[in-house]
Amino acid sequence: MPPSNDLKVAMDECLVRYGGDLYPEIVVAAKGAWVRDSAGREILDFTSGQMCATVGHSHPAVVAAIKESAEQAIHLFSGMIPESVARLARKIADLVPRPLKRSLLVSTGSESNEAALKMAKLITGGFEVVGLGGSWHGVTSAAGAASFASDRRGYGPTVPGVFALPEPNAYRCPIEHCRERCDMTCLKVGLQLFDMQTSGARAALIAEPVLSAGGVIVPPPGYFETVREACRARGMLLIFDEAQTAFGRLGAPFAATKLGVVPDIMTVSKTLGGGIPLAAAITSDEIEQTAHERGFAHYTSHVSDPLPAAVGLAVIETIERESLVERAGELGAYLRAGLLDLQQRYEAIGEVRGEGLLLGVELVKDRESREPHHELGARTTRRCLELGLSMNIRRRPERGSVWRIAPPLTVTREEIDTALQILDRALGETLDEMARGSGA
Ligand SMILES: Cc1ncc(COP(=O)(O)O)c(C=O)c1O
């Protein structure tokens, strides 16, 4: 057997399956917006890996930072602060909107949210956490408990004191009230229900500024101002989970800067590490001081590690040097125009939404009923992969079938054109097949 077949057998026999379908081939390389498998196929990666490779896979600056840091220091005693950590903390402080300033540098998005929630509990003395329907904040205990797009079943009780607000999705209004534009009745009703249920020990509201895993839902203008005020009125901290939106994807440095709403704690992860596990919980001097006085502890093996921090610096410097924030705005508009053009031609595209280079395409059986077209979503996504385009489909039974399209910010217009051609062909062929009643 050729080695790749051995490896495919190992993939089937030796790994714990952790959810979702696995790509059937072993992957051997990833560069820029492309991934190559062991069969030699080149695939356009319009999910930026797991939404992390905003500067493209294996950007030379990231590779150089890894090599240089590996020569200097990979890991240290957690009480020692390496140069790269001090530099990265200063760099983040220079970029985030005030009063945010101080970073806790950890490894994953789940961990940054875990730390942010712990901090909020310590500061407020409460424990109740409010999340949004369709949210995804991670798989660890507190972050997972506040996530409503992930699979919660089968693991027993989650941490107590978690509440969900209906998500502001006008296309599929969770309270079946709005149709074209969210008028925030969901927020009003959700807060009323929370006020009825709270024990008074409120700690935080955690939200993704664009609900990505929930189907790329963009809350309406004014939503987060109202949320900000609701948190203040209830003595709760507001946490923005900017795992996917920080450092440029929306065509702005952060969602917070775009919205003009500053949370008490911002968490960043995927887009900071460029593929290396790196995340941060960022807060103000005031909150950090109180947390410290109350004994805040998050002393892990990899807190403030030198190598990931060096990579984070390289990622941010690359974003600045290559003007990737502006590029996300320009190319996002270009990609959106291409998707809107497809919508003109395919009744099955119910809505194109999102911001910058974080876009969602909702597939429906017809535009009037908006009945989700799960079969089309699954089959077209498969066909796209066969034709060389990797895209993520978010399928939730009552909540729609939505392609999440998020290429690296370094993607070229030609690569976007190729992706749109593949999408067009996959949609056309699959709809024809379905009309003829053929195919699985
Ligand atoms: C918005 C958001 N927050 C947090 C996480 C969790 O990050 P990680 O998988 O790095 O723990 C994710 C992961 O998909 C995410 O999309």
Side-chain angles (χ1 to χ4, degrees):
M1 251 193 312
S4 66
N5 279 351
D6 278 351
L7 296 179
K8 274 167 72 173
V9 173
M11 171 170 102
D12 285 339
E13 290 183 354
C14 306
L15 286 172
V16 169
R17 285 159 283 187
Y18 44 81
D21 297 331
L22 290 184
Y23 181 66
E25 300 292 333
I26 295 286
V27 171
V28 293
K31 185 88 190 143
W34 295 86
V35 167
R36 191 172 73 246
D37 73 18
S38 55
R41 275 165 38 84
E42 300 275 349
I43 299 155
L44 252 183
D45 178 5
F46 268 42
T47 66
S48 301
Q50 194 60 41
M51 308 293 289
C52 302
T54 43
V55 297
H57 291 285
S58 299
H59 190 289
V62 169
V63 174
I66 293 172
K67 283 186 180 161
E68 207 176 298
S69 185
E71 296 286 345
Q72 265 172 4
I74 295 173
H75 164 79
L76 291 175
F77 172 64
S78 298
M80 292 177 175
I81 299 300
E83 250 181 67
S84 58
V85 164
R87 284 217 174 95
L88 178 61
R90 173 63 69 200
K91 185 80 195 167
I92 292 175
D94 288 345
L95 293 175
V96 288
R98 289 286 178 269
L100 299 178
K101 191 178 138 218
R102 287 176 174 264
S103 292
L104 172 74
L105 291 166
V106 293
S107 302
T108 65
S110 305
E111 192 192 354
S112 63
N113 288 325
E114 218 52 52
L117 290 166
K118 273 167 61 182
M119 212 179 262
K121 289 173 188 177
L122 200 58
I123 295 292
T124 58
F127 67 96
E128 290 176 352
V129 173
V130 179
L132 267 56
S135 55
W136 186 297
H137 300 296
V139 297
T140 51
S141 71
S147 299
F148 298 100
S150 61
D151 201 352
R152 303 163 69 88
R153 294 185 191 163
Y155 311 113
T158 61
V159 295
V162 174
F163 302 82
L165 298 179
E167 66 267 36
N169 179 356
Y171 196 73
R172 293 192 184 285
C173 176
I175 53 172
E176 302 189 5
H177 168 72
C178 299
R179 187 162 162 96
E180 303 307 333
R181 212 173 160 277
C182 173
D183 70 2
M184 296 199 264
T185 301
C186 51
L187 181 56
K188 210 164 134 192
V189 171
L191 288 170
Q192 279 168 5
L193 287 173
F194 172 57
D195 289 341
M196 268 185 242
Q197 295 172 84
T198 179
S199 66
R202 307 172 196 94
L205 187 151
I206 182 166
E208 297 163 78
V210 174
L211 286 108
S212 177
V216 192
I217 298 165
V218 182
Y223 185 86
F224 283 110
E225 281 91 339
T226 311
V227 165
R228 172 76 276 184
E229 205 33 57
C231 287
R232 265 199 203 107
R234 289 164 179 78
M236 303 163 75
L237 300 198
L238 174 61
I239 302 170
F240 271 178
D241 177 350
E242 294 227 27
Q244 299 196 15
T245 52
F247 307 110
R249 184 164 285 289
L250 302 186
F254 301 91
T257 37
K258 190 163 190 165
L259 292 165
V261 174
V262 184
D264 298 294
I265 308 176
M266 178 194 286
T267 57
V268 299
S269 50
K270 294 171 182 282
T271 58
L272 175 60
I276 291 287
L278 173 65
I282 311 161
T283 193
S284 61
D285 276 332
E286 193 187 344
I287 290 176
E288 192 274 344
Q289 180 63 29
T290 310
H292 175 67
E293 284 163 11
R294 295 185 187 168
F296 178 74
H298 196 86
Y299 199 93
T300 71
S301 308
H302 296 292
V303 68
S304 296
D305 252 353
L307 188 143
V311 175
L313 262 177
V315 167
I316 295 177
E317 283 163 9
T318 302
I319 289 169
E320 290 178 339
R321 197 174 47 250
E322 299 184 10
S323 305
L324 295 183
V325 179
E326 296 73 19
R327 202 180 157 85
E330 284 161 28
L331 291 179
Y334 184 71
L335 175 55
R336 178 193 288 270
L339 295 170
L340 287 171
D341 180 53
L342 286 181
Q343 190 189 25
Q344 300 273 315
R345 290 186 287 122
Y346 293 101
E347 167 83 9
I349 297 185
E351 188 173 60
V352 175
R353 55 178 179 252
E355 300 204 343
L357 276 174
L358 178 54
L359 295 172
V361 174
E362 175 123 16
L363 298 172
V364 291
K365 291 198 174 153
D366 71 83
R367 291 192 192 162
E368 185 46 38
S369 74
R370 299 186 177 178
E371 192 183 332
H373 209 331
H374 294 302
E375 190 190 350
L376 180 67
R379 286 174 60 166
T380 328
T381 307
R382 233 173 12 243
R383 185 74 189 119
C384 281
L385 205 48
E386 286 162 11
L387 294 170
L389 173 65
S390 169
M391 274 193 334
N392 193 227
I393 182 98
R394 304 296 311 166
R395 277 184 296 151
R396 297 163 67 213
E398 295 304 316
R399 315 297 319 143
S401 221
V402 182
W403 276 323
R404 181 171 59 181
I405 308 182
L409 311 190
T410 50
V411 71
T412 63
R413 277 175 194 256
E414 292 70 34
E415 286 163 344
I416 289 177
D417 290 341
T418 304
L420 287 166
Q421 281 155 17
I422 293 176
L423 262 176
D424 189 4
R425 186 172 156 198
L427 265 172
E429 287 179 2
T430 311
L431 284 164
D432 280 352
E433 272 171 25
M434 288 172 79
R436 290 198 309 270
S438 60

